[in-house]
Amino acid sequence: MTDMTTDAGDLRELTVGTGAGGEQLGTDMVLNIGPQHPSTHGVLRLRLVLDGERVVSAEPIVGYMHRGAEKLFEVRDYRQIIVLANRHDWLSAFANELGVVLAVERLMGMEVPERAVWLRMALAELNRVLNHLMFLGSYPLEIGAITPMFYAFRERETLQAVMEEVSGGRIHYMFNRVGGLKEEVPAGWTGRARVAIGEVRRRMPDLDHLIRRNEIFLARTVGVGVLSAADAAAFGASGPVARASGLDLDLRRDEPYLAYDQLDVPVVTKTAGDCHARFEVLLDQVYASLDLAEQCLDRVDRLTGPVHTRLPKVVKAPEGHTYAWTENPLGINGYYLVSRGEKTPWRLKLRTASYANVQALATLLPGCLVPDLIAILGSMFFVVGDIDK
């Protein structure tokens, strides 16, 4: 920057802040992106050191939401904690509920009716698709493409109608219970769910063809924000972010829970590890999850019987501890439950996918340009509530 001022008729020229070497005065700029910023997906702060438009270092700073869910679990009984659990990742509410009840059921040694198991799987896969569609619409929007958002939300509305019919909720379903599900699904619901799945599958190419090979989108994402498999593993990254870097890990196949061991679960992986690979994994996972949800619905239609287990008025888990983990839409969620034999957990520690994935930003962002920073940040597919759980 050149500053020219008049002082007693003389011109004075001063060069500052260029970041250049040599005899010029060079300095780095410290810039805060957030905590309130449209590119941060919520209340996240990035402390950047910039040399011109290039990022020298990046520090993700979390904790602004201070939701305190883990402490709130300790003063609520096993029925009440479900309503808190489905809110830390508000795009994956059903999957969050599921992880908590699986941990409680494991500690209690409880067997869940088979029909409930397959219904849980069908709803979990539909919730996975809903989560991915949100990012498939919002990510292109962040780098300048508005039309994909309309297509993504059209498909979300189709599936949300199905989820709302079965649970009464559009975002926070509260449909899981310790021992099964809240209630039986409405008559004919599985047929209507299949119709919705068919419509979304038929229309997904509208979104796919619009963005996957779009030359502007390719220019903004290919080769940008490359996360190696070694770095992904070192940071504990999981889910679509890790699989885009070549980490072939999916708990539904590798450590199956519910009845996933009875399905052939396709695991979508890429090797490039860049922004485009992460977007493609998310896109291809939608097709895979729609197929899995349909297979689960087929099994539900062949099963009869209850969808929940009769429980005492006060549910108490026996003294002990257990760990349950699930393949949530954004990656691996872990639930470490410690009980002292009371009606409330003594401790319930959450291991959330977003918290681990966002750590990799400290490695991904240095060296990139500020415009690429937005593309990289959006491609990490995190929810800030899942970080500040």
mmCIF file of all heavy atoms in Angstrom, residues 72 90 99-100 106 116 120 137 139 142 144 188-189 203 218 244-245 298 342 348 358 360 367-368 380 385 389:
data_model
loop_
_atom_site.group_PDB
_atom_site.id
_atom_site.type_symbol
_atom_site.label_atom_id
_atom_site.label_comp_id
_atom_site.label_asym_id
_atom_site.label_seq_id
_atom_site.Cartn_x
_atom_site.Cartn_y
_atom_site.Cartn_z
ATOM 1 N N LEU A 72 -25.386 -31.642 30.795
ATOM 2 C CA LEU A 72 -26.845 -31.724 30.933
ATOM 3 C C LEU A 72 -27.315 -33.172 30.976
ATOM 4 O O LEU A 72 -28.332 -33.486 31.599
ATOM 5 C CB LEU A 72 -27.520 -30.969 29.787
ATOM 6 C CG LEU A 72 -27.323 -29.452 29.780
ATOM 7 C CD1 LEU A 72 -27.883 -28.849 28.497
ATOM 8 C CD2 LEU A 72 -27.982 -28.816 30.986
ATOM 9 N N TRP A 90 -27.455 -30.943 14.311
ATOM 10 C CA TRP A 90 -28.880 -30.770 14.016
ATOM 11 C C TRP A 90 -29.265 -31.276 12.637
ATOM 12 O O TRP A 90 -30.446 -31.343 12.317
ATOM 13 C CB TRP A 90 -29.281 -29.307 14.186
ATOM 14 C CG TRP A 90 -28.325 -28.331 13.593
ATOM 15 C CD1 TRP A 90 -28.183 -28.012 12.280
ATOM 16 C CD2 TRP A 90 -27.355 -27.553 14.298
ATOM 17 N NE1 TRP A 90 -27.195 -27.072 12.113
ATOM 18 C CE2 TRP A 90 -26.664 -26.761 13.341
ATOM 19 C CE3 TRP A 90 -26.995 -27.424 15.638
ATOM 20 C CZ2 TRP A 90 -25.644 -25.878 13.677
ATOM 21 C CZ3 TRP A 90 -25.985 -26.549 15.980
ATOM 22 C CH2 TRP A 90 -25.317 -25.787 15.013
ATOM 23 N N GLY A 99 -27.305 -43.407 18.497
ATOM 24 C CA GLY A 99 -26.067 -43.742 19.199
ATOM 25 C C GLY A 99 -26.252 -43.791 20.698
ATOM 26 O O GLY A 99 -25.711 -44.682 21.379
ATOM 27 N N VAL A 100 -27.018 -42.853 21.246
ATOM 28 C CA VAL A 100 -27.238 -42.820 22.690
ATOM 29 C C VAL A 100 -28.037 -44.029 23.154
ATOM 30 O O VAL A 100 -27.668 -44.701 24.127
ATOM 31 C CB VAL A 100 -27.950 -41.509 23.089
ATOM 32 C CG1 VAL A 100 -28.453 -41.591 24.523
ATOM 33 C CG2 VAL A 100 -27.003 -40.327 22.941
ATOM 34 N N ARG A 106 -26.878 -51.385 25.301
ATOM 35 C CA ARG A 106 -25.724 -52.277 25.465
ATOM 36 C C ARG A 106 -25.386 -52.438 26.935
ATOM 37 O O ARG A 106 -25.084 -53.540 27.397
ATOM 38 C CB ARG A 106 -24.529 -51.712 24.697
ATOM 39 C CG ARG A 106 -23.282 -52.564 24.794
ATOM 40 C CD ARG A 106 -22.194 -52.068 23.864
ATOM 41 N NE ARG A 106 -22.593 -52.181 22.462
ATOM 42 C CZ ARG A 106 -21.829 -51.812 21.439
ATOM 43 N NH1 ARG A 106 -20.636 -51.281 21.662
ATOM 44 N NH2 ARG A 106 -22.260 -51.951 20.202
ATOM 45 N N ALA A 116 -37.989 -53.272 14.912
ATOM 46 C CA ALA A 116 -37.456 -51.965 15.297
ATOM 47 C C ALA A 116 -36.045 -51.770 14.763
ATOM 48 O O ALA A 116 -35.664 -50.660 14.357
ATOM 49 C CB ALA A 116 -37.476 -51.819 16.815
ATOM 50 N N ARG A 120 -35.080 -48.740 12.336
ATOM 51 C CA ARG A 120 -34.007 -47.804 12.716
ATOM 52 C C ARG A 120 -33.009 -47.630 11.578
ATOM 53 O O ARG A 120 -32.579 -46.506 11.283
ATOM 54 C CB ARG A 120 -33.274 -48.325 13.954
ATOM 55 C CG ARG A 120 -33.959 -48.066 15.276
ATOM 56 C CD ARG A 120 -33.167 -48.701 16.418
ATOM 57 N NE ARG A 120 -33.643 -48.287 17.725
ATOM 58 C CZ ARG A 120 -33.127 -48.711 18.865
ATOM 59 N NH1 ARG A 120 -32.105 -49.558 18.862
ATOM 60 N NH2 ARG A 120 -33.601 -48.287 20.022
ATOM 61 N N GLY A 137 -26.218 -28.824 -1.384
ATOM 62 C CA GLY A 137 -26.805 -27.567 -1.819
ATOM 63 C C GLY A 137 -26.038 -26.360 -1.326
ATOM 64 O O GLY A 137 -25.825 -25.394 -2.056
ATOM 65 N N TYR A 139 -22.808 -26.142 -0.188
ATOM 66 C CA TYR A 139 -21.403 -25.993 -0.560
ATOM 67 C C TYR A 139 -21.229 -25.245 -1.884
ATOM 68 O O TYR A 139 -20.462 -24.276 -1.953
ATOM 69 C CB TYR A 139 -20.714 -27.361 -0.598
ATOM 70 C CG TYR A 139 -19.250 -27.274 -0.968
ATOM 71 C CD1 TYR A 139 -18.412 -26.400 -0.289
ATOM 72 C CD2 TYR A 139 -18.705 -28.038 -1.987
ATOM 73 C CE1 TYR A 139 -17.067 -26.294 -0.626
ATOM 74 C CE2 TYR A 139 -17.368 -27.941 -2.330
ATOM 75 C CZ TYR A 139 -16.557 -27.062 -1.635
ATOM 76 O OH TYR A 139 -15.231 -26.948 -1.974
ATOM 77 N N GLU A 142 -21.740 -21.553 -1.388
ATOM 78 C CA GLU A 142 -20.658 -20.804 -0.747
ATOM 79 C C GLU A 142 -19.592 -20.358 -1.737
ATOM 80 O O GLU A 142 -18.854 -19.409 -1.469
ATOM 81 C CB GLU A 142 -20.024 -21.648 0.357
ATOM 82 C CG GLU A 142 -20.942 -21.791 1.560
ATOM 83 C CD GLU A 142 -20.451 -22.815 2.547
ATOM 84 O OE1 GLU A 142 -19.395 -23.435 2.278
ATOM 85 O OE2 GLU A 142 -21.099 -23.001 3.576
ATOM 86 N N GLY A 144 -20.434 -19.649 -4.954
ATOM 87 C CA GLY A 144 -21.035 -18.832 -5.997
ATOM 88 C C GLY A 144 -22.126 -19.442 -6.843
ATOM 89 O O GLY A 144 -22.605 -18.788 -7.769
ATOM 90 N N GLY A 188 -49.214 -48.220 5.716
ATOM 91 C CA GLY A 188 -48.846 -47.851 4.357
ATOM 92 C C GLY A 188 -47.632 -46.949 4.255
ATOM 93 O O GLY A 188 -47.262 -46.528 3.149
ATOM 94 N N TRP A 189 -46.992 -46.667 5.407
ATOM 95 C CA TRP A 189 -45.860 -45.724 5.382
ATOM 96 C C TRP A 189 -44.678 -46.258 4.571
ATOM 97 O O TRP A 189 -44.044 -45.499 3.844
ATOM 98 C CB TRP A 189 -45.404 -45.424 6.812
ATOM 99 C CG TRP A 189 -44.202 -44.540 6.862
ATOM 100 C CD1 TRP A 189 -44.183 -43.173 6.774
ATOM 101 C CD2 TRP A 189 -42.834 -44.952 6.971
ATOM 102 N NE1 TRP A 189 -42.888 -42.710 6.828
ATOM 103 C CE2 TRP A 189 -42.039 -43.773 6.953
ATOM 104 C CE3 TRP A 189 -42.203 -46.186 7.097
ATOM 105 C CZ2 TRP A 189 -40.645 -43.810 7.053
ATOM 106 C CZ3 TRP A 189 -40.820 -46.225 7.189
ATOM 107 C CH2 TRP A 189 -40.050 -45.049 7.163
ATOM 108 N N ARG A 203 -34.584 -37.989 -9.632
ATOM 109 C CA ARG A 203 -34.288 -36.576 -9.867
ATOM 110 C C ARG A 203 -32.868 -36.174 -9.470
ATOM 111 O O ARG A 203 -32.430 -35.073 -9.809
ATOM 112 C CB ARG A 203 -35.293 -35.712 -9.103
ATOM 113 C CG ARG A 203 -36.729 -35.882 -9.585
ATOM 114 C CD ARG A 203 -37.661 -34.852 -8.973
ATOM 115 N NE ARG A 203 -37.601 -34.830 -7.528
ATOM 116 C CZ ARG A 203 -38.679 -34.832 -6.725
ATOM 117 N NH1 ARG A 203 -39.895 -34.886 -7.250
ATOM 118 N NH2 ARG A 203 -38.537 -34.777 -5.420
ATOM 119 N N LEU A 218 -15.187 -27.171 -10.953
ATOM 120 C CA LEU A 218 -13.931 -27.924 -11.016
ATOM 121 C C LEU A 218 -12.735 -27.009 -10.769
ATOM 122 O O LEU A 218 -11.798 -27.369 -10.043
ATOM 123 C CB LEU A 218 -13.794 -28.612 -12.376
ATOM 124 C CG LEU A 218 -14.739 -29.779 -12.658
ATOM 125 C CD1 LEU A 218 -14.639 -30.201 -14.122
ATOM 126 C CD2 LEU A 218 -14.440 -30.968 -11.764
ATOM 127 N N ALA A 244 -12.690 -39.553 1.265
ATOM 128 C CA ALA A 244 -12.247 -38.831 0.070
ATOM 129 C C ALA A 244 -10.731 -38.811 -0.037
ATOM 130 O O ALA A 244 -10.183 -38.589 -1.110
ATOM 131 C CB ALA A 244 -12.779 -37.407 0.094
ATOM 132 N N SER A 245 -10.048 -39.062 1.084
ATOM 133 C CA SER A 245 -8.584 -39.115 1.088
ATOM 134 C C SER A 245 -8.060 -40.540 0.949
ATOM 135 O O SER A 245 -6.850 -40.763 1.027
ATOM 136 C CB SER A 245 -8.042 -38.493 2.379
ATOM 137 O OG SER A 245 -8.371 -37.127 2.455
ATOM 138 N N ASP A 298 -37.755 -53.168 2.634
ATOM 139 C CA ASP A 298 -38.189 -54.490 2.172
ATOM 140 C C ASP A 298 -38.192 -55.486 3.325
ATOM 141 O O ASP A 298 -39.107 -56.319 3.438
ATOM 142 C CB ASP A 298 -37.269 -54.985 1.049
ATOM 143 C CG ASP A 298 -37.418 -54.183 -0.236
ATOM 144 O OD1 ASP A 298 -38.451 -53.498 -0.391
ATOM 145 O OD2 ASP A 298 -36.496 -54.231 -1.087
ATOM 146 N N GLU A 342 -27.936 -45.574 38.674
ATOM 147 C CA GLU A 342 -29.009 -44.623 38.922
ATOM 148 C C GLU A 342 -29.819 -44.391 37.646
ATOM 149 O O GLU A 342 -29.520 -44.951 36.591
ATOM 150 C CB GLU A 342 -28.414 -43.304 39.433
ATOM 151 C CG GLU A 342 -27.616 -43.475 40.716
ATOM 152 C CD GLU A 342 -26.774 -42.254 41.039
ATOM 153 O OE1 GLU A 342 -26.596 -41.411 40.136
ATOM 154 O OE2 GLU A 342 -26.283 -42.166 42.178
ATOM 155 N N LEU A 348 -21.613 -39.224 30.300
ATOM 156 C CA LEU A 348 -21.839 -39.632 28.912
ATOM 157 C C LEU A 348 -20.983 -38.730 28.034
ATOM 158 O O LEU A 348 -21.300 -37.560 27.816
ATOM 159 C CB LEU A 348 -23.312 -39.527 28.518
ATOM 160 C CG LEU A 348 -23.664 -39.933 27.072
ATOM 161 C CD1 LEU A 348 -23.102 -41.312 26.739
ATOM 162 C CD2 LEU A 348 -25.164 -39.928 26.837
ATOM 163 N N VAL A 358 -12.643 -31.004 11.952
ATOM 164 C CA VAL A 358 -12.290 -29.590 11.814
ATOM 165 C C VAL A 358 -10.855 -29.322 12.265
ATOM 166 O O VAL A 358 -10.262 -28.304 11.897
ATOM 167 C CB VAL A 358 -13.303 -28.722 12.599
ATOM 168 C CG1 VAL A 358 -12.959 -28.676 14.088
ATOM 169 C CG2 VAL A 358 -13.371 -27.307 12.034
ATOM 170 N N ALA A 360 -8.324 -30.744 11.191
ATOM 171 C CA ALA A 360 -7.456 -30.815 10.011
ATOM 172 C C ALA A 360 -7.309 -29.476 9.305
ATOM 173 O O ALA A 360 -6.414 -29.312 8.471
ATOM 174 C CB ALA A 360 -8.002 -31.859 9.030
ATOM 175 N N GLY A 367 -0.877 -21.934 3.228
ATOM 176 C CA GLY A 367 -0.430 -22.018 1.842
ATOM 177 C C GLY A 367 -1.498 -21.713 0.830
ATOM 178 O O GLY A 367 -1.199 -21.447 -0.336
ATOM 179 N N CYS A 368 -2.777 -21.743 1.248
ATOM 180 C CA CYS A 368 -3.847 -21.480 0.285
ATOM 181 C C CYS A 368 -4.133 -19.987 0.201
ATOM 182 O O CYS A 368 -3.721 -19.202 1.058
ATOM 183 C CB CYS A 368 -5.114 -22.250 0.660
ATOM 184 S SG CYS A 368 -6.085 -21.483 1.984
ATOM 185 N N MET A 380 -15.306 -29.341 4.370
ATOM 186 C CA MET A 380 -15.072 -30.191 5.542
ATOM 187 C C MET A 380 -16.385 -30.675 6.152
ATOM 188 O O MET A 380 -16.380 -31.527 7.046
ATOM 189 C CB MET A 380 -14.233 -29.443 6.592
ATOM 190 C CG MET A 380 -12.846 -29.095 6.112
ATOM 191 S SD MET A 380 -11.915 -30.530 5.505
ATOM 192 C CE MET A 380 -11.519 -31.344 7.035
ATOM 193 N N GLY A 385 -22.438 -27.074 16.164
ATOM 194 C CA GLY A 385 -22.989 -27.672 17.386
ATOM 195 C C GLY A 385 -22.374 -29.025 17.687
ATOM 196 O O GLY A 385 -22.324 -29.456 18.845
ATOM 197 N N LYS A 389 -20.145 -29.535 21.555
ATOM 198 C CA LYS A 389 -21.252 -30.351 22.062
ATOM 199 C C LYS A 389 -21.384 -30.203 23.575
ATOM 200 O O LYS A 389 -20.499 -29.816 24.263
ATOM 201 C CB LYS A 389 -21.072 -31.826 21.684
ATOM 202 C CG LYS A 389 -19.925 -32.543 22.373
ATOM 203 C CD LYS A 389 -18.624 -32.402 21.650
ATOM 204 C CE LYS A 389 -17.567 -33.310 22.276
ATOM 205 N NZ LYS A 389 -16.212 -33.002 21.799
#
